[in-house]
Amino acid sequence: DSGVTQTPKHLITATGQRVTLRCSPRSGDLSVYWYQQSLDQGLQFLIQYYNGEERAKGNILERFSAQQFPDLHSELNLSSLELGDSALYFCASSRGVNYGYTFGSGTRLTVV
Amino acid sequence: AQTVTQSQPEMSVQEAETVTLSCTYDTSESDYYLFWYKQPPSRQMILVIRQEAYKQQNATENRFSVNFQKAAKSFSLKISDSQLGDAAMYFCAYRSELLGSQGNLIFGKGTKLSVKP
């Protein structure tokens, strides 16, 4: 157990639907990062939150949004889902710039 | 923008032997961190080793060590006494230390390592 909890582990949904992925960071970590891992794109940075505020955006689609709550858990919302959104979505947390991330076990999203 | 390149999509090593995975990166920054992550079939991302760019000494973690060549922008991972459990996808990653940078990791495409018994 890495200390970063992601739910659900697996999600199957239809095109056009909306889903919410949840992440609880490791205790004491204020930064949360979301990554998408697909077969052809590797690990792509989506968005970062730090202590409730959006800190950085990467290659995140407009159909995707995220937020971090006062208890520091984060949610990634994916809407108007397309087949190409099928991927493994990772959440990671960090204690600071000189540390690596601690990753959750990911959510496997399958859009059918 | 920074980029990370892993030129070996796949590698294979005999159990108990040594293997080196290559990674090069491109940056104009002088302060940064480099990481190697392991992703076994379980898909969990596991930090293997990290290196601060300002440190000349190569990082070592048990059987894992790096060869960090800052001028050449090279960061290879050496796995000694390879074990079956080392079979995984290995990702090289870069993180800027620049104040105001995004702080996110930039990953290479990965190298799939197979270990033969």
Side-chain angles (χ1 to χ4, degrees), chain A residues 2 33 35 37 40-43 45 48 56-57 88 90 94 96-101 103-105 108, chain B residues 33 35 37 39 42-47 50 52 91 95-97 101-109:
Chain A
S2 67
Y33 302 80
Y35 277 80
Q37 185 179 26
D40 57 346
Q41 293 294 326
L43 278 148
F45 169 63
Q48 178 204 358
K57 265 187 174 181
L88 188 57
F90 281 109
S94 175
V97 71
N98 60 338
Y99 291 88
Y101 295 173
F103 281 84
S105 57
R108 166 71 70 186
Chain B
Y33 295 88
F35 305 87
Y37 278 88
Q39 188 178 40
S42 67
R43 308 307 297 265
Q44 176 74 46
M45 294 288 288
I46 302 165
L47 177 63
R50 75 167 192 238
E52 293 90 337
F91 291 95
R95 185 178 191 178
S96 173
E97 196 187 349
S101 69
Q102 292 185 345
N104 57 290
L105 288 172
I106 300 168
F107 286 91
K109 294 287 188 184

Side-chain angles (χ1 to χ4, degrees), chain B residues 5 10 28 50 68-70 75 86 88 92 96 99 110:
Chain B
T5 302
E10 295 188 24
S28 58
R50 75 167 192 238
F68 174 48
Q69 302 288 330
K70 191 172 184 178
F75 183 60
D86 295 333
C92 178
S96 173
L99 190 64

